[in-house]
């Protein structure tokens, strides 16, 4: 959730940094599909009888299914999934691999995802003083570019701009920014050109 933290820091502590690079995030209230899917995952885990009010002895059985459904629905990229799993056999293999992964601690996991519920730095865009380069992917399922939310917020930032990584079979939706090859040049340019404060 580093991108979200970056937006919050830019608004709350505007004089602390020279440059900000929020990635795979939007400076808006947690809402729409992003929150709907998180809430459904949280509720599935919490309402699993194995969860036992947080006093479970082993991971709740439904947790791995809730996590897998959330991941496939909100990260990975539409074009990438078509290229990686063009047959039901390959899609089944991806599902099997995801379900075989060991789940994290359920209480920790729920805390992590529920903590985003009150995220909303949108009111403070004008406070941001640092040079800001927002990097998002055009196929980001959690932060869809077509809503125009980030583009509108950028217009309110004195030294802000948005770099939108084009969707392709090589991008991975919300996970795209995990590969620096997609934005290395833009980041290098920012670091070389952003004004530095004198302390």
């Amino acid at each position: 959730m580093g991108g979200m933290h970056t937006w919050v820091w830019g608004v709350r502590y505007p004089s602390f940094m020279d440059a900000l690079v929020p990635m795979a995030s939007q400076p808006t209230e947690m809402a729409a599909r992003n929150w709907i899917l998180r809430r459904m995952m949280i509720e599935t885990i919490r309402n699993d009888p194995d969860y036992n009010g947080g006093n479970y002895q082993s991971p709740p059985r439904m947790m791995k299914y809730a996590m897998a459904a959330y991941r496939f629905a909100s990260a990975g990229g539409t074009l990438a999934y078509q290229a990686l799993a063009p047959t039901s056999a390959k899609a089944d293999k991806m599902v099997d691999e995801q379900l075989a992964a060991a789940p994290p601690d359920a209480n920790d996991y729920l805390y992590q995802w529920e903590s985003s519920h009150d995220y909303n730095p949108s009111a403070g865009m004008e406070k941001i003083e640092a040079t800001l380069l927002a990097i998002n992917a055009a196929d980001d399922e959690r932060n869809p570019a077509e809503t125009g939310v980030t583009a509108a917020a950028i217009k309110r930032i004195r030294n802000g701009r948005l770099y939108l990584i084009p969707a392709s079979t090589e991008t991975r939706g919300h996970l795209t920014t995990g590969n620096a090859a997609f934005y290395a040049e833009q980041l290098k340019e920012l670091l070389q050109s952003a004004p530095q404060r004198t302390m």
Side-chain angles (χ1 to χ4, degrees):
M1 300 182 184
M4 294 161 66
H5 284 290
T6 304
W7 287 112
V8 170
W9 271 70
V11 169
R12 289 191 182 172
Y13 310 105
S15 62
F16 276 26
M17 68 289 295
D18 297 321
L20 289 167
V21 186
M23 297 185 192
S25 58
Q26 294 187 115
T28 188
E29 183 174 357
M30 186 56 61
R33 179 185 292 130
N34 199 350
W35 178 248
I36 291 168
L37 289 172
R38 290 174 192 230
R39 170 83 189 276
M40 291 303 297
M41 177 178 60
I42 290 165
E43 293 293 335
T44 299
I45 296 168
R46 182 161 280 128
N47 286 289
D48 183 335
D50 292 342
Y51 181 67
N52 192 27
N55 298 307
Y56 45 86
Q57 299 302 311
S58 58
R61 283 175 286 181
M62 293 308 297
M63 183 172 173
K64 65 181 179 180
Y65 300 103
M67 290 174 57
Y70 176 76
R71 182 178 176 88
F72 285 125
S74 71
T78 301
L79 298 176
Y81 277 140
Q82 185 61 41
L84 293 169
T87 66
S88 58
K90 289 184 177 181
D92 282 340
K93 185 173 185 291
M94 290 181 75
V95 171
D96 292 342
E97 289 172 352
Q98 187 70 38
L99 293 178
D105 178 76
N107 283 330
D108 287 347
Y109 194 77
L110 289 174
Y111 179 84
Q112 174 188 349
W113 290 100
E114 285 181 319
S115 68
S116 66
H117 189 250
D118 63 353
Y119 168 78
N120 188 6
S122 63
M125 295 297 99
E126 289 81 5
K127 296 178 183 176
I128 296 175
E129 297 177 13
T131 301
L132 183 141
L133 172 63
I135 301 176
N136 284 347
D139 58 351
D140 186 333
E141 303 89 342
R142 297 181 198 174
N143 305 290
E146 58 267 30
T147 64
V149 169
T150 302
I154 293 292
K155 292 177 182 175
R156 297 168 48 207
I157 301 170
R158 190 177 316 115
N159 297 307
R161 69 183 183 94
L162 170 64
Y163 175 60
L164 195 61
I165 301 166
S168 73
T169 56
E170 302 303 312
T171 57
R172 296 294 180 261
H174 184 68
L175 306 176
T176 298
T177 53
N179 183 347
F182 289 114
Y183 56 84
E185 286 303 313
Q186 290 76 16
L187 184 58
K188 179 179 177 183
E189 178 187 329
L190 171 76
L191 295 176
Q192 291 175 339
S193 63
Q196 295 186 6
R197 299 173 189 271
T198 55
M199 301 305 270

